[in-house]
Amino acid sequence: MMNNEGKGLYRSSLSLLTDFYELTMAYGYWKLGIKDRPAVFSFFFRRRPFEGTYAIAAGLDSIIDFIERFRFDSSDLAYLESLKTDRNKPLFEPAFLEYLSSFSFSCDIDAMEEGTPVFPYEPMVRVQGPILEAQLLEGPLLNIMNFQTLIATKASRICAAAEGDEVVEFGLRRAQGIDGALSGSRAAYIGGCNSTSNVLAGKHFGIPVKGTHAHSWIMAFKEEEEAFDSYAAIMPHNCMYLIDTFDTIEGGKKAIQVAKKWEKKGYKILGVRLDSGDLAELSITVREMLDKAGFQDAKIMASNELDERIIRDLKKQGAKINIWGVGTHLITGKDQPALDGVYKLTAIEDEAGEWMYKLKISEQIVKTTNPGIIQVRRYSDDQGRYIGDMMYDTLLGIPKSIHLIDPIDPTKKKNMSPQMNFKDLLIPIFRKGKKVYNSPLLTKIRQNTLSELNLFDPTIRRFLNPKSYFVGLEKSLYDLKESLINEIKNKNVS
């Protein structure tokens, strides 16, 4: 069955959602007659998000939706036509705009499926095709993938801290704009959250929606007990009372009184929510109150600037919290508000049709890129647990003896047997501009995240000094990279 979750969310043209230099470079490729020269670009990140070890790939389905609508409409062309040079001349000549008017995407795209744990320098998306087209994809791809991957990763960490408890994404009011709220809700669900407070995200993506009521509901009534009772009267099947408006313990007592009244009518309280104070101590006290009153099944929900470290600490303190409402820290990735994903040219054909390997070098080894048409192969042991990843060039292939070298620290090496179990992570998404991949349902993607993470050593998920997972370049690719670096450096010696 085709998956239409979120399709058509952005119905107007988004083809100008790009940095200006992408268009000027595209114009240059067109002007020089090399617009159709085959090239390869890779999207990857360098820095481990949130001081962890991994990220959760997210955003691919949004990229697919973008590419399927990737056309320059009349308003786009009119705007580009209006741009002038400092001499008040048209920036782009009419023939180039005419070319854009019939633009059609024809690249091949391979990518990791959403919900896949990924590590620094591994390409999550590989684009191969005419250089002009591949170049134009840089801006939107980075915009979509960087943000959704960041939020999915943060959600994964928060859900790990919750140890199986329900986690509700509460970030709408603190998200960076409408799209930040929508795509953030989607990514948080991929990362493991159970539901969202964002109703529009629920509508578009099929994410379960959940919520209680605000303090303003309590303050709108003369008495707190009246507020609880009135809420039960209109929502008898959805009573999760917010009890900390004035005094948490007294609010808990009143909630229990109202719950007993409505229990006689056949309705059970879902639980109570705490939004301030000492959440550990209060939850323990409120749990005792609920149990003593016969409401052992009632849940205790907590909110109030939570993140994975606070949740972990509350767990260690014995907090009796069943549901975690996490907002600001999740939807903004507050402690690391951006993933440093980049989109780099890794190969291009010359005039004779031969592939030329490309890389960017830097005095900082972490900023030196990897050349080639790279695939990522993930190895597993006989129990199915992952033991290491290999980045290899599809043109060079894989030798019989597999030796891996860490691209940042060459003293770290690992050998893999050809008989080991493995899977290649970059799979076909587009071929010659036509989609060949059926996106799974969002529920399936979320399940994939959780099941895949369980196949790694648990030490890579700990928050303090997590263990590194081995990712290496296949030796022939590593050697090629080193020779290219030396060649470039020798060429630039004055």
Side-chain angles (χ1 to χ4, degrees), residues 96-282:
F96 177 64
L97 299 181
E98 180 64 26
Y99 162 76
L100 292 182
S101 71
S102 58
F103 175 86
S104 180
F105 190 75
S106 66
C107 290
D108 293 347
I109 295 181
D110 294 81
M112 293 186 187
E113 292 194 281
E114 293 188 280
T116 300
V118 57
F119 300 89
Y121 301 98
E122 295 182 330
M124 277 191 278
V125 181
R126 189 183 71 220
V127 182
Q128 182 172 341
I131 190 169
L132 182 150
E133 298 178 28
Q135 188 74 67
L136 286 177
L137 196 57
E138 178 176 8
L141 189 149
L142 288 173
N143 175 271
I144 292 169
M145 296 291 293
N146 272 329
F147 179 67
Q148 290 200 38
T149 298
L150 183 83
I151 303 307
T153 306
K154 187 67 171 177
S156 170
R157 291 170 58 83
I158 288 168
C159 292
E163 298 177 354
D165 291 344
E166 184 176 350
V167 178
V168 186
E169 180 268 306
F170 261 16
L172 171 65
R173 63 192 61 194
R174 302 283 172 79
Q176 281 97 339
I178 295 171
D179 182 68
L182 285 172
S183 58
S185 291
R186 180 183 187 277
Y189 189 68
I190 288 174
C193 289
N194 302 84
S195 55
T196 179
S197 67
N198 187 337
V199 182
L200 189 58
K203 172 189 173 184
H204 280 288
F205 302 122
I207 302 170
V209 293
K210 180 164 285 190
T212 57
H213 58 74
H215 293 107
S216 55
W217 175 267
I218 305 297
M219 294 185 286
F221 294 84
K222 290 183 178 180
E223 299 291 339
E224 191 172 23
E225 189 171 350
E226 181 189 359
F228 293 149
D229 190 53
S230 298
Y231 194 76
I234 60 170
M235 299 287 284
H237 296 289
N238 190 44
C239 286
M240 175 75 72
Y241 297 129
L242 179 60
I243 61 173
D244 75 324
T245 306
F246 306 116
D247 180 280
T248 301
I249 302 304
E250 290 303 312
K253 292 177 181 178
K254 293 171 184 176
I256 287 171
Q257 290 173 2
V258 172
K260 286 182 176 179
K261 170 184 173 181
W262 284 89
E263 186 179 37
K264 293 176 182 178
K265 299 180 181 182
Y267 300 105
K268 283 198 170 185
I269 183 176
L270 296 182
V272 298
R273 176 161 73 99
L274 310 175
D275 190 51
S276 60
D278 188 325
L279 295 179
E281 182 178 342
L282 288 171

Side-chain angles (χ1 to χ4, degrees), residues 452-470:
E452 284 292 299
L453 280 171
N454 285 333
L455 295 177
F456 290 91
D457 191 309
T459 57
I460 76 161
R461 298 183 67 180
R462 64 191 181 203
F463 301 143
L464 183 63
N465 297 322
K467 183 179 178 180
S468 294
Y469 176 78
F470 187 85

